[in-house]
Amino acid sequence: MSRSPHAPQSQLAADASPGVLSRSFGPKSWIVGPWQDLLLFVGTPLVIVPIVIGAQFAFSAAQIALIVASFGALGHHLPGMMRAYGDKGLFRRFKKRFILAPLFLIGVCALFTVYELHGLVLIAYLWGVWHGLMQTYGFIRIYDAKTGSPSAWTRRLDHWMCLVWFGAGVTLSPDRMYTVLEHFYRSGGPLLPVATVEVARTLTWIALAVVNVAFFANLANEWRRGNPPNLLKLLLMLTSFGFWFYCSVFVGNILVGVALFEIFHDVQYLSIVWLFNRKRVDKDPTVGEFTSFLFRRSGGMMGFYVGLVFAYGGLYFLPRALASETLSNALMGVLVASALLHFYYDSFIWKVHEAENRETLGLADKSQHGGGVRLPSWALTGARWSVFVLPLAGLAVAQSFGVSEVGDRQRNLAQLMPENPVALYNLGAVLETEGDLDTALAKYERAVTLRPKYAEARYNYGNALRARGEFEAAERQLLAAIEIEPKYPQAYNNLGNLKVQQGELRQAEVYYRRALELDPRLFEASANLAEVQRSRGLLDEAEATYRAYLDLDDDFAPAHRALAGLLGARGEHAASVRHYELAVAEAPDNAELRLELGRAYGLAGRTDEARAALEDAARVAPQSVPVQLALGVAHERAGDAQSAEAAYDRALAIDPQSVAAHHHLGNLLRATGDMERAAGVFERALEIAPDDAETHLQLGVVLATSGRMVDAERQYRRALEQRSDWAVAHFNLANVLAVQEQFGEAVEHYQRALEIDPALAEARTNLEAVRRHLAGA
């Protein structure tokens, strides 16, 4: 219907109103239908939020994020690949891309992941944000095309709206901005000036204001001209932009925020792909056997489709199940490549202006993108790939030249975002590691003040308070962390540690058991529970705790090691050896484990095996003084004094200041009768530690054996100056005094030795002998 340009404004509005409603909510304005579109594309957040809130009563934020990241984020890559490789016409058209892109991206991602080049994470994150906004823009284009052809200016403003709102969700989000900058720094990026974040946020607000004003001005202008938009498009923009901003800026836990929007994105994607392929099968019988089979009219096939998506998402857990770290990293790189392939394929296989896509979606109008100069396809493809390759290569080169220290990074981030609770929390963790507990506590306190529902910050704050002995305050923070995150096993474990420090062992046991209910594989809680049981004399229960953990993970070396130590303490040396052997089999490069295995062999009387195990430990850690000393002891037990001396000499070559090595060598020389050299060794030990009571005692023994009673007496008295309640020192001094016929004082020291250690039978025998001598005199 034509209108006169001079018609009254009120008449225009009256004429346009029925058309607006019919175009916005008529049968042709929906992609599927009213309730389907509202549930799957437009109003999905209204369903997602209560589901995730309910899930938080059963799962932790980390568990929810893991489930969504696997079955949702990774799983939803599969449908796009189904179309890329299952649609024969599409594959023929883009055959080179579908063959070369996977080879290139898998190789790049595996390389970057194995060598821990963090630039890949940053680029993948930013590409993911771009992918999300472009999916929203695609739905906007579909809804516009349902009611007509918008102007080029309208399309451009729609795109800009997506750019500024999704960009704002990053720059105005404390957590997302921190994530971007942290990955930038870990990729070798230089530390930025303090004003950087404020400038970025100011520019964001300006961009939001300018683009929104332009958008609504254009909307009003188009409406006046008789070209009202599809109101579903506006509703979609409201829910998409609002939900993205809510998830990014207002949700207190970044894991929950990411999961919320990822579910929205995945539901939209899986639904539109199913709908699209269903229509393709109906319209084109040559689409391909697999596509025709999977996307036929069948409720069972829809379930099978979702099952395939979930099965593909399950691959996310595979790298965590591999024993080889290198293989695990390589496979994780392949999964990252899956995400990048998903982003790349979606950038061209779903374009709304493509005739095939428009026909399948029921979009008749074809004027969906403006004219102008278009680059050749090869140049356009090269330009797009350069946006990925050049920054990635630049970051890889930057990281190869070195990355700033963790402490410097966190201090810079805290300066850039002084009111960012994440930055304050991470700086507090660095300061605590550096030993600056007071400043760390201040950072944690500020973080929880800014974000009271920050469970991780309260957890660290509580642990730091516990380290400073402020037990009541520490308990309040740890309980607050649990109130925020009820499924927080580490918090329960540290509450147990707190109760141990307060001497409340039964309550500690309750907390440790709760931690293990939430996470049976939290070995720290198992070890702590067993230690509490052990300290209460419940050795069988402690053993059962370790065995329960090994029932879950029989390959976990620390659990075998802990059980071996417990069994050894109970005198069950054969069983102890068996578990040390299992631990060493799982961690063959762990010199400490081999050292403990060697000692366990020695206690079990398996001398040759003890020497062999300790020689293996020495090969693994040739610069370890404890290993050389243990090896020397094993040689001594085997009667090989020469090899023992060589081991002690190696220990002293590694650490000439080792008092323990001097003791071992000195005692060996005394046992072999070389008193002169033995005395020299102990004298050198005293030069290192003049007040070491053990050295004075051992030197006294050597001197007394050599007949130098006066010098021996002096050394024993020096030992007693350091340890006046040392029964053996009193006994040895009494013996020397008795030889020097200082019987009165000798009696006093024999009596003192027996007061300290009534079981010292030799002291009692010598005391009686001296008394008989005095009586006879």
Side-chain angles (χ1 to χ4, degrees):
M1 181 181 76
S2 62
R3 290 192 178 91
S4 166
H6 302 292
Q9 186 67 44
S10 60
Q11 182 63 47
L12 284 174
D15 290 343
S17 296
V20 169
L21 294 176
S22 64
R23 290 173 62 184
S24 294
F25 296 108
K28 293 184 178 180
S29 61
W30 307 90
I31 297 175
V32 186
W35 73 265
Q36 294 97 328
D37 278 34
L38 290 174
L39 178 65
L40 301 175
F41 305 134
V42 179
T44 319
L46 299 177
V47 179
I48 294 170
V49 171
I51 290 174
V52 172
I53 289 174
Q56 288 180 280
F57 290 100
F59 302 98
S60 68
Q63 288 172 326
I64 292 171
L66 180 62
I67 292 168
V68 173
S70 56
F71 300 118
L74 177 62
H76 94 284
H77 301 166
L78 183 63
M81 295 182 189
M82 287 178 178
R83 188 183 177 212
Y85 297 101
D87 188 323
K88 289 183 176 180
L90 186 70
F91 184 79
R92 282 194 299 270
R93 185 178 173 190
F94 298 111
K95 184 176 181 179
K96 289 183 179 179
R97 297 190 193 185
F98 291 147
I99 292 174
L100 296 177
L103 297 176
F104 173 70
L105 286 175
I106 289 173
V108 168
C109 291
L111 179 69
F112 270 65
T113 306
V114 168
Y115 288 98
E116 297 183 350
L117 298 173
H118 295 283
L120 179 66
V121 179
L122 177 59
I123 298 299
Y125 177 80
L126 296 176
W127 199 352
V129 174
W130 173 265
H131 170 72
L133 77 88
M134 289 304 293
Q135 178 169 300
T136 299
Y137 180 64
F139 275 100
I140 290 171
R141 293 276 50 77
I142 293 171
Y143 279 119
D144 254 346
K146 285 285 183 179
T147 54
S149 175
S151 67
W153 182 239
T154 296
R155 293 195 303 274
R156 194 171 293 118
L157 282 170
D158 289 344
H159 196 196
W160 290 352
M161 285 286 282
C162 291
L163 288 170
V164 296
W165 278 103
F166 274 80
V170 174
T171 56
L172 301 181
S173 164
D175 294 345
R176 289 184 183 269
M177 192 63 176
Y178 177 90
T179 298
V180 169
L181 290 174
E182 169 67 1
H183 284 306
F184 175 69
Y185 289 158
R186 294 181 70 184
S187 304
L191 301 181
L192 299 175
V194 173
T196 301
V197 172
E198 285 306 313
V199 170
R201 287 175 175 165
T202 300
L203 293 175
T204 297
W205 285 115
I206 293 171
L208 278 170
V210 170
V211 173
N212 276 270
V213 168
F215 174 83
F216 285 106
N218 178 69
L219 180 66
N221 184 53
E222 289 292 314
W223 205 304
R224 282 195 302 269
R225 293 174 57 191
N227 297 317
N230 185 341
L231 294 184
L232 289 170
K233 160 192 160 178
L234 298 181
L235 185 58
L236 174 78
M237 295 174 77
L238 176 65
T239 56
S240 297
F241 299 159
F243 193 52
W244 167 257
F245 206 77
Y246 166 75
C247 294
S248 299
V249 178
F250 294 106
V251 174
N253 189 310
I254 187 172
L255 295 177
V256 175
V258 169
L260 281 167
F261 197 82
E262 183 62 43
I263 296 172
F264 181 31
H265 175 85
D266 297 343
V267 170
Q268 283 185 329
Y269 188 83
L270 294 175
S271 302
I272 196 69
V273 171
W274 173 264
L275 172 69
F276 182 92
N277 283 313
R278 274 287 311 110
K279 292 186 175 182
R280 283 280 289 142
V281 169
D282 287 344
K283 290 176 179 291
D284 185 359
T286 65
V287 70
E289 292 81 0
F290 175 78
T291 302
S292 298
F293 168 76
L294 181 61
F295 294 100
R296 54 198 164 98
R297 292 186 181 277
S298 167
M301 284 296 101
M302 186 181 295
F304 184 53
Y305 165 72
V306 174
L308 288 175
V309 169
F310 279 16
Y312 188 77
L315 294 175
Y316 192 82
F317 297 96
L318 187 56
R320 293 163 173 77
L322 296 175
S324 168
E325 184 177 356
T326 301
L327 186 59
S328 175
N329 287 340
L331 183 55
M332 186 58 72
V334 173
L335 298 183
V336 174
S338 172
L340 300 184
L341 281 171
H342 170 67
F343 301 158
Y344 175 57
Y345 288 168
D346 279 13
S347 71
F348 62 88
I349 67 175
W350 303 110
K351 283 189 176 295
V352 176
H353 69 256
E354 293 285 347
E356 183 179 79
N357 294 341
R358 297 180 61 73
E359 181 183 358
T360 303
L361 290 169
L363 309 178
D365 178 69
K366 298 183 181 180
S367 56
Q368 277 296 304
H369 70 137
V373 178
R374 290 184 61 80
L375 294 172
S377 61
W378 62 266
L380 188 59
T381 299
R384 286 172 175 167
W385 274 107
S386 68
V387 175
F388 170 73
V389 172
L390 294 180
L392 191 63
L395 291 171
V397 171
Q399 187 174 340
S400 70
F401 281 101
V403 178
S404 54
E405 295 292 331
V406 175
D408 294 336
R409 295 202 305 265
Q410 298 305 334
R411 287 180 174 85
N412 175 266
L413 288 166
Q415 290 173 340
L416 290 171
M417 295 173 279
E419 297 301 297
N420 183 330
V422 179
L424 292 166
Y425 161 72
N426 284 319
L427 177 56
V430 167
L431 292 166
E432 188 175 354
T433 302
E434 293 175 349
D436 189 354
L437 192 58
D438 290 341
T439 311
L441 283 166
K443 300 301 179 186
Y444 291 144
E445 183 178 15
R446 183 59 180 157
V448 299
T449 301
L450 291 168
R451 183 178 293 173
K453 297 294 186 180
Y454 196 171
E456 291 83 358
R458 288 194 179 275
Y459 170 77
N460 269 24
Y461 189 20
N463 292 337
L465 288 166
R466 178 172 69 85
R468 203 164 71 170
E470 299 181 28
F471 297 143
E472 291 184 8
E475 185 172 2
R476 283 197 300 272
Q477 293 302 324
L478 290 170
L479 289 172
I482 290 169
E483 184 178 355
I484 299 163
E485 187 70 67
K487 309 292 185 179
Y488 203 157
Q490 291 85 358
Y492 280 106
N493 178 63
N494 277 350
L495 274 170
N497 294 340
L498 175 63
K499 291 303 175 183
V500 168
Q501 286 183 273
Q502 293 177 305
E504 301 177 28
L505 299 186
R506 292 184 183 275
Q507 185 60 45
E509 188 171 339
V510 171
Y511 284 132
Y512 292 141
R513 290 189 184 280
R514 178 57 179 154
L516 289 171
E517 287 174 12
L518 295 170
D519 183 2
R521 291 179 178 268
L522 183 61
F523 178 68
E524 186 181 355
S526 286
N528 288 337
L529 174 59
E531 188 57 35
V532 165
Q533 292 165 332
R534 186 174 176 175
S535 65
R536 293 177 59 201
L538 305 173
L539 299 185
D540 290 340
E541 290 188 23
E543 180 181 347
T545 297
Y546 286 130
R547 293 194 183 278
Y549 188 91
L550 287 169
D551 287 341
L552 297 173
D553 187 357
D554 191 45
D555 296 331
F556 192 61
H560 282 293
R561 180 183 191 175
L563 179 55
L566 174 65
L567 293 169
R570 295 173 65 174
E572 299 177 28
H573 299 303
S576 174
V577 163
R578 185 167 63 254
H579 283 284
Y580 275 127
E581 287 172 337
L582 291 169
V584 168
E586 295 301 326
D589 295 330
N590 189 317
E592 283 190 18
L593 271 178
R594 290 188 177 276
L595 170 61
E596 291 170 13
L597 174 59
R599 288 171 173 165
Y601 277 135
L603 292 170
R606 297 162 65 174
T607 305
D608 291 340
E609 289 162 298
R611 296 170 75 183
L614 291 166
E615 284 168 352
D616 286 340
R619 279 192 289 271
V620 173
Q623 296 301 306
S624 170
V625 170
V627 167
Q628 294 295 341
L629 296 182
L631 180 57
V633 171
H635 287 313
E636 278 195 73
R637 286 176 177 167
D640 187 351
Q642 184 176 359
S643 296
E645 184 175 346
Y648 298 144
D649 284 339
R650 285 194 297 272
L652 285 169
I654 296 166
D655 181 10
Q657 301 298 304
S658 171
V659 173
H662 282 91
H663 286 181
H664 279 285
L665 178 58
N667 286 324
L668 173 66
L669 294 170
R670 177 171 61 83
T672 57
D674 194 343
M675 299 301 170
E676 184 176 352
R677 285 181 61 202
V681 169
F682 285 119
E683 286 167 354
R684 285 194 295 275
L686 286 174
E687 292 174 5
I688 298 166
D691 295 327
D692 184 74
E694 179 69 32
T695 308
H696 284 293
L697 178 70
Q698 296 300 338
L699 178 56
V701 171
V702 170
L703 294 171
T705 305
S706 303
R708 297 167 59 183
M709 298 301 172
V710 174
D711 294 333
E713 178 187 347
R714 185 182 306 112
Q715 295 303 321
Y716 292 143
R717 291 188 187 280
R718 289 292 305 277
L720 286 169
E721 288 175 7
Q722 308 303 320
R723 292 176 57 182
S724 60
D725 59 347
W726 199 1
V728 172
H730 283 288
F731 171 70
N732 284 2
L733 177 57
N735 288 340
V736 168
L737 291 170
V739 170
Q740 298 180 82
E741 298 185 355
Q742 300 179 39
F743 298 118
E745 192 175 359
V747 167
E748 293 176 5
H749 284 285
Y750 282 134
Q751 290 174 334
R752 179 62 178 141
L754 288 168
E755 288 173 7
I756 299 167
D757 183 5
L760 194 57
E762 195 174 354
R764 191 176 306 281
T765 300
N766 288 2
L767 174 60
E768 291 172 357
V770 169
R771 283 174 171 167
R772 285 196 300 271
H773 176 78
L774 290 174

